[in-house]
Amino acid sequence: MNVGNVLKHLSFLEKKPLAAVKIAKGYFKGMILRKPVLRTVDFAVTNICNSKCRFCSAHLLYRTEQRKVLTPDQIISAFMQASKLGAMHMNFTGGEPLTKNIVELCYIIKNIKPKFHLLSMVTNSLSVTKEKLKMLRDSGLDTIQLSIESMSPQVHDYLRGVPGNWQKVMEAFVYARELGFVVCLSTVLTHSNFDEVEKIIDFAARYKNVFVLLNPISASGAMVGETQNKLTQDDLVKYENLLKIDLVRADTVVNFSGKAGCPGGKERIHITAFGDVITCPHVQISYGNVKDEPLKQIWERMYNFPDLKKYSSVCKHVFDQTYYDKFLQPIEHLVEVPISVFEHPTLKNELNKKNFYVD
């Protein structure tokens, strides 16, 4: 683990001192007691998006219009269940969160005890206004993640599929800093864009409390069968070198276990707009739905699944070919996802319910 990176990210706690107590408990349970503890919930608060990203991992995840999205109160209930399991961070995602009614978003934030949790939101910036950001800040949101793919407006707009999107990101960047948010520039890392990512890092380095979040490109959604930008084992070395830069982070950087590595299904979960609980938005296999059973039961089932229980130092869906072949390759043909773990072509044959719960 990069100590400088960890210390740099403790600045997220500057305005949330009460969250530090929850984090300390998480580290004690994870590092000292060696017990499972949930850290982060990525929560899709809507299935609607106004971008047309060429690499969208959720391209198929939200195609259906027949399922009902979670209500604000259901979202609040699910996160507070996660909080009891140790979660100290909720990341609002989607879809595009700001396509949701801003009053509903603020209602959710105010009712998930914002003083005790780190709360972030990822946005494509298309619907950002300074007024909306101020409402979110006053409700308790403390970090804004701005999706950006290039410091070139033309390249960014091409990849995001919306003319003028880059300019909106720059406007949102100014607003977020003026309002005192911690700002993360969130970018997709591919085989061919390391130079672009380094330019984004150079831009972020000019400012205080601005970070860069690297998201290795998914092999799901719009990218199924598209191998030209897939990260290679040689790219892994370059990726890990980028993570040595203090202002750069990834989902694998900071874990309650004290180890850097893939937190999916153990310390980090993703809840879709429809309530399905998956390990991350790139591995679209559901271990249960919060509408149907308690989150604790779903998370225990997920955490104790043999392939997830094994620790991995890398992002498994990107760099672990065995994991990819077993989990993702068999469902690449599907047009309706997520698929239940109990219906997965290969995983269902391994199910033994006594291995899926902890006392």
Side-chain angles (χ1 to χ4, degrees):
M1 179 180 290
N2 179 359
V3 176
N5 192 293
V6 173
L7 293 176
K8 181 78 171 177
H9 287 88
L10 288 179
S11 63
F12 282 54
L13 293 171
E14 288 179 358
K15 298 180 181 179
K16 293 287 184 78
L18 293 177
V21 176
K22 195 170 185 65
I23 293 171
K25 290 180 179 178
Y27 276 113
F28 177 77
K29 190 173 182 180
M31 292 181 67
I32 307 302
L33 301 182
R34 300 294 181 184
K35 291 186 176 181
V37 55
L38 193 59
R39 172 174 56 84
T40 292
V41 179
D42 285 308
F43 217 128
V45 293
T46 180
N47 63 319
I48 298 171
C49 188
N50 48 4
S51 281
K52 299 176 182 178
C53 300
R54 297 178 181 274
F55 40 75
C56 178
S57 63
H59 175 66
L60 298 175
L61 197 59
Y62 294 127
R63 283 184 62 173
T64 179
E65 297 180 359
Q66 299 175 353
R67 303 180 70 191
K68 291 185 178 181
V69 299
L70 297 177
T71 67
D73 286 330
Q74 287 174 320
I75 293 172
I76 292 166
S77 173
F79 180 72
M80 294 314 295
Q81 291 178 61
S83 180
K84 290 180 180 179
L85 299 174
M88 58 81 183
H89 173 214
M90 177 170 172
N91 183 38
F92 291 76
T93 181
E96 164 53 41
L98 288 177
T99 61
K100 196 172 186 70
N101 184 291
I102 191 67
V103 175
E104 288 190 351
L105 284 176
C106 292
Y107 171 79
I108 294 168
I109 293 169
K110 290 175 181 177
N111 284 280
I112 56 175
K113 298 184 178 180
K115 291 183 179 180
F116 295 89
H117 302 102
L118 298 180
L119 303 178
S120 60
M121 177 179 291
V122 58
T123 177
N124 59 26
S125 299
L126 291 172
S127 300
V128 167
T129 66
K130 192 171 184 179
E131 180 182 9
K132 287 181 180 179
L133 291 186
K134 185 177 185 301
M135 291 174 67
L136 293 168
R137 182 203 64 184
D138 293 347
S139 298
L141 192 74
D142 46 90
T143 299
I144 292 290
Q145 296 181 13
L146 304 176
S147 297
I148 184 168
E149 309 308 333
S150 174
M151 292 311 299
S152 162
Q154 293 77 18
V155 173
H156 174 88
D157 292 355
Y158 169 77
L159 292 172
R160 287 273 160 176
V162 180
N165 192 174
W166 187 88
Q167 185 58 42
K168 290 291 293 181
V169 175
M170 291 298 106
E171 290 173 5
F173 180 78
V174 172
Y175 296 154
R177 294 193 66 249
E178 287 178 351
L179 291 169
F181 283 101
V182 174
V183 178
C184 278
L185 300 177
S186 180
T187 188
V188 176
L189 183 68
T190 76
H191 174 67
S192 58
N193 77 341
F194 278 84
D195 289 344
E196 292 284 352
V197 168
E198 288 173 359
K199 292 175 184 177
I200 294 171
I201 294 171
D202 289 342
F203 173 80
R206 304 174 195 171
Y207 304 92
K208 181 182 178 181
N209 281 342
V210 176
F211 301 84
V212 175
L213 177 64
L214 301 183
N215 304 284
I217 193 166
S218 173
S220 57
M223 296 308 295
V224 170
E226 302 291 331
T227 59
Q228 66 274 18
N229 278 317
K230 179 179 171 62
L231 291 165
T232 67
Q233 289 300 314
D234 288 338
D235 291 333
L236 176 59
V237 176
K238 295 190 288 184
Y239 172 52
E240 291 177 336
N241 284 334
L242 289 178
L243 292 178
K244 294 177 182 178
I245 303 171
D246 290 348
L247 62 84
V248 177
R249 64 158 293 142
D251 291 342
T252 57
V253 169
V254 182
N255 290 318
F256 281 152
S257 64
K259 302 176 182 178
C262 179
K266 296 187 289 295
E267 295 194 23
R268 191 180 190 115
I269 60 174
H270 181 97
I271 302 179
T272 74
F274 304 124
D276 297 299
V277 183
I278 60 183
T279 58
C280 79
H282 310 296
V283 184
Q284 295 161 2
I285 302 169
S286 174
Y287 291 78
N289 191 294
V290 295
K291 294 178 182 177
D292 303 326
E293 56 185 326
L295 180 62
K296 182 177 187 291
Q297 186 168 302
I298 300 170
W299 177 64
E300 288 174 345
R301 178 183 303 136
M302 177 185 284
Y303 179 83
N304 282 282
F305 196 84
D307 291 88
L308 300 181
K309 202 168 187 178
K310 291 185 292 187
Y311 187 80
S312 173
S313 61
V314 297
C315 187
K316 288 184 284 192
H317 76 90
V318 178
F319 296 111
D320 186 336
Q321 189 63 41
T322 300
Y323 179 89
Y324 175 86
D325 291 342
K326 185 174 182 179
F327 281 71
L328 292 173
Q329 193 279 328
I331 61 173
E332 283 187 338
H333 65 286
L334 296 181
V335 294
E336 292 188 14
V337 290
I339 183 173
S340 168
V341 66
F342 295 101
E343 298 174 359
H344 190 282
T346 56
L347 302 183
K348 67 181 181 180
N349 297 324
E350 295 185 6
L351 295 180
N352 181 342
K353 291 187 178 180
K354 69 179 183 180
N355 292 330
F356 287 80
Y357 299 92
V358 293
D359 295 329

